[in-house]
DNA sequence: GACGTATCGCAACAGCGTTGCATTACTCTG
DNA sequence: CAGAGTAATGCAACGCTGTTGCGATACGTC
């Protein structure tokens, strides 16, 4: 996306408040001015002005009244899901999966498409654009843009896919710019696991202040939400836990080193030892929780769906044992609410987040 | 500290800008209005008002002029280090170490005191208070409060030391409230490693947007600064990497599990194999960098000082090899600038940070 | 139907940064 | 050594934010 003129300080206040109201309303239940005033620590009168702005933009609407006792009934407000749309694409080496979602992140329509071998960029971009255009034809609401999630490292500000060490036809391709030019729409390119976490967080904003999402697809990836912000990292690859060492001098990994979580996981699966594989996952999660101290862990990815009971049990047991001496630590382990659409939905939600999410900085050209 | 009335939204803007200016000025070199306007993305005129507020409070002062070419010379501004003071205490089972620092985090005076065995709380609190009072007598400037850093888990909002599983006379003690009552000063209680990182970040604000500090004292601890905020975690124990598993089924740990980093580290040291110990440290750092993607790692703690060359070399080598396939990843490994005062200074800086740091929340009763 | 109550809206206000323009203090030119 | 050019600064009016005070509205209760 082109760099915008940085908003004026007072616009940032207004924007932050608008985003906060939207975040609360997104949970689904109609809200009253009083609740919002409480949550934002402003006067009800300020909420009136904030809601006026949001209704002006069509993002929110009145939703009836509620009589609680004597006095004038409370007016309730809700988001207007159909007011905006975003497209999310999930690209892997084998598949192209896309969705359109409404403002609340609910799926309007989905597309799935197998791609034989990774096509070269000049073929890939039109294929992505074609699916995006099909999806763009669906549903009402202003179309905000396209989010694209893919595995592997990404140069986020540049929108360039960095690629892996193996021969990779997409390596170094400025995918974001190419797709944006092709479609004439804003495009956001990010990591698959980060997209997935943003997607989960979009529909349950305050639950995931400190959460980790573990994505088990071909590789092992994670994303972190800490103190309310989804961490991107200095090199835009925070959460790449696949090559974290869980057994020094252990199984050889494709990366040339030994005992990487990913290598141990696949070695165990190859040996048919599902329990051992689950134990590796559990160790990764335990280390993750110890390191960043999240209170929620979300499991996602095609590979875990098959044996999610085993994995979740192993993880819960490991957490229980590992924190036995620290009874104040409670970690909720849950399965992604989005199934196999997880990453595509997340990619779409990144667009929503970009437009209507809480800004992270109150100061500077953020 | 008592809950303050949450600042009005516009005061939050002013406060954030004041803090941002202070953060830039803290780097040491005098700054001009133009630089500040650039950094904060506001007009020079706004900087005039911000500086007027800061000079009113005695936090900043003019620092001469600079002639660059034709036109009126630029007026320069700097912080007034002597305008404020904070006390920092570092409490371990064996030692009580304290400092007073000025507004820039420079040490005015230090005290160190051995304590035979961990005294019971009714003796501990007066001992802490006595050292704090001695330190409070030193140096000019308004005394803001006392920071206390200690190893082991802490219930941060409650100011309660949670203690370890071993018999622990301090377990569950509301140390913050007790000390605050004794001294009649605000007290902040936090983790030793987090304090250390806050201390490092206070004197080099923008360098440590994504950084990890590894503290090797009796145990192994870390603290994380991600996207500019020092992570506290859902249970206020983020960075507790000591019991992270680096060798599944490895050396037995005091925690009852196997292959914890701390256990492997001490096992290697006990066997006299410093190289192996350094490799364990290196693995911890590598996993940390993979997981949270920091671009700076700071080493601190009494134990590393003895053999910091070996440790740093092992870490640098491991990072170099581990990220060989990702040439865009550069991680700076450095030694703490504070020596053994690291944690005491950090605890003091937490008070400064609390008062004059950038607010993390834009909205709500933050 | 009058009263108490809670919500809501209008209008005036304070404080933030912005804008436009005058002032100041320097260098450079002739 | 004036006078022009230049860049930083200050003053005043302004727009926008949320706040405050008060009146209007709509409900339940007596």
């Amino acid at each position: 996306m082109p760099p915008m003129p940085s908003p004026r300080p007072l616009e940032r206040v207004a924007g932050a408040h608008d985003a906060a109201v939207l975040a609360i309303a997104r949970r689904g239940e109609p809200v009253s001015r009083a609740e919002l005033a409480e949550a934002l620590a402003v006067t009800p009168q300020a909420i009136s002005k904030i809601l006026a702005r949001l209704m002006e933009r069509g993002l929110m609407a009145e939703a009836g009244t509620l009589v609680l006792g004597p006095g004038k009934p409370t007016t309730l407000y809700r988001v207007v899901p159909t007011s905006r749309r975003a497209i999310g694409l999930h690209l892997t080496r084998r598949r192209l999966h896309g969705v359109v979602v409404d403002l609340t992140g609910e799926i309007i329509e989905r597309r799935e498409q197998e791609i034989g071998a990774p096509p070269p960029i000049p073929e890939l971009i039109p294929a992505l654009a074609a699916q995006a255009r099909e999806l763009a034809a669906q549903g009402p609401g202003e179309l905000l843009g396209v989010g694209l999630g893919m595995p592997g490292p990404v140069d986020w500000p540049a929108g360039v896919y960095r690629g892996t060490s193996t021969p990779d036809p997409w390596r170094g391709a400025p995918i974001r710019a190419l797709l944006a030019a092709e479609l004439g729409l804003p495009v956001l390119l990010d990591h698959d696991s980060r997209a997935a976490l943003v997607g989960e967080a979009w529909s349950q904003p305050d639950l995931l202040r400190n959460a980790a999402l573990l994505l088990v697809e071909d590789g092992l990836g994670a994303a972190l939400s800490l103190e309310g912000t989804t961490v991107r990292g200095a090199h835009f690859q925070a959460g790449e836990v696949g090559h974290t060492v869980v057994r020094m001098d252990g199984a050889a990994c494709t990366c040339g080193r030994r005992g990487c979580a990913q290598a141990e996981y696949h070695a165990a699966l190859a040996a048919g030892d599902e329990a051992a594989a689950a134990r590796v996952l559990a160790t990764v999660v335990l280390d993750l929780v110890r390191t960043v101290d999240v209170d929620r862990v979300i499991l996602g990815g095609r590979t875990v769906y098959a044996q999610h009971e085993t994995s979740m049990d192993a993880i819960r047991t490991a957490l229980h044992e590992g924190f036995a001496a620290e009874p104040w630590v409670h970690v909720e382990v849950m399965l992604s609410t989005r199934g196999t659409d997880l990453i595509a939905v997340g990619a779409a939600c990144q667009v929503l987040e970009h437009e209507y999410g809480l800004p992270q900085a109150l100061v500077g050209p953020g």
Side-chain angles (χ1 to χ4, degrees), chain A residues 7 295 324:
Chain A
D295 58 3

Side-chain angles (χ1 to χ4, degrees), chain A residues 227-243:
Chain A
E227 317 288 350
T229 53
T230 314
V231 176
R232 215 182 291 273
H235 313 92
F236 320 109
Q237 55 189 50
E240 277 293 355
V241 293
H243 297 285

Side-chain angles (χ1 to χ4, degrees), chain A residues 154-210:
Chain A
V154 157
D155 182 345
W156 181 75
V160 168
Y161 175 66
R162 277 174 166 157
T164 53
S165 54
T166 56
D168 189 334
W170 304 338
R171 180 171 205 165
I175 296 185
R176 197 193 63 193
L178 292 172
L179 188 56
E182 180 81 18
L183 284 171
L185 278 173
V187 173
L188 288 178
L189 174 65
D190 215 333
H191 225 189
D192 52 0
S193 53
R194 188 179 187 277
L197 183 53
V198 169
E200 289 289 328
W202 185 253
S203 30
Q204 31 193 329
D206 23 44
L207 279 183
L208 304 182
R209 275 192 61 80
N210 289 80

